[in-house]
Amino acid sequence: MTAHIEAQVERFAPGFKQLIMARSTKSPAQLEEENSNLVGGSITGGANSLRQLFWRPTSRLYETPLPGVFLCSASTPPGGGVHGMCGYHAAMRALAKVHLR
């Protein structure tokens, strides 16, 4: 799939392929072997079910027990996907903690 992905990017950003200096690819099995949380190579941090939408593994609303350290990943609500909302919510929580929001 690498060639197909690069061709699509090249289509919208001519010259992209000439900028690639190196590649590193891994199969889903290799991803799971290196990190057991990536079941079947999935990077979404668990099932993307309705239940998981509300019950992701964070009960501290993007905070960790360590003051000033926040969690934004597919394991936080609203879950995995290409949307950026995990990072947005973690940033808003961090800003609220320092009263900048």
Side-chain angles (χ1 to χ4, degrees), residues 1-10 17 23:
M1 291 305 298
T2 302
H4 294 290
I5 294 167
E6 289 176 2
Q8 183 68 357
V9 175
E10 180 74 23
K17 285 184 178 183
R23 289 176 185 81

Side-chain angles (χ1 to χ4, degrees), residues 44-68:
T44 60
N48 265 340
S49 64
L50 187 58
R51 180 173 179 256
Q52 282 290 315
L53 181 64
F54 297 103
W55 294 101
R56 302 301 289 181
T58 175
S59 60
R60 298 176 169 270
L61 296 175
Y62 307 96
E63 293 184 52
T64 69
L66 187 60

Side-chain angles (χ1 to χ4, degrees), residues 44-45 52-53 56-58 61-63 71-80 83 85-87 89-90:
T44 60
Q52 282 290 315
L53 181 64
R56 302 301 289 181
T58 175
L61 296 175
Y62 307 96
E63 293 184 52
L71 176 66
C72 76
S73 74
S75 294
T76 60
H83 46 66
M85 295 310 295
C86 305
H89 291 301

Side-chain angles (χ1 to χ4, degrees), residues 5-56:
I5 294 167
E6 289 176 2
Q8 183 68 357
V9 175
E10 180 74 23
R11 185 174 152 211
F12 294 99
F16 167 77
K17 285 184 178 183
Q18 287 72 37
L19 298 174
I20 298 171
M21 298 174 68
R23 289 176 185 81
S24 176
T25 60
K26 293 184 181 182
S27 70
Q30 289 171 313
L31 289 171
E32 184 176 5
E33 185 178 309
E34 291 179 11
N35 183 338
S36 59
N37 290 309
L38 305 180
V39 177
S42 173
I43 61 169
T44 60
N48 265 340
S49 64
L50 187 58
R51 180 173 179 256
Q52 282 290 315
L53 181 64
F54 297 103
W55 294 101
R56 302 301 289 181

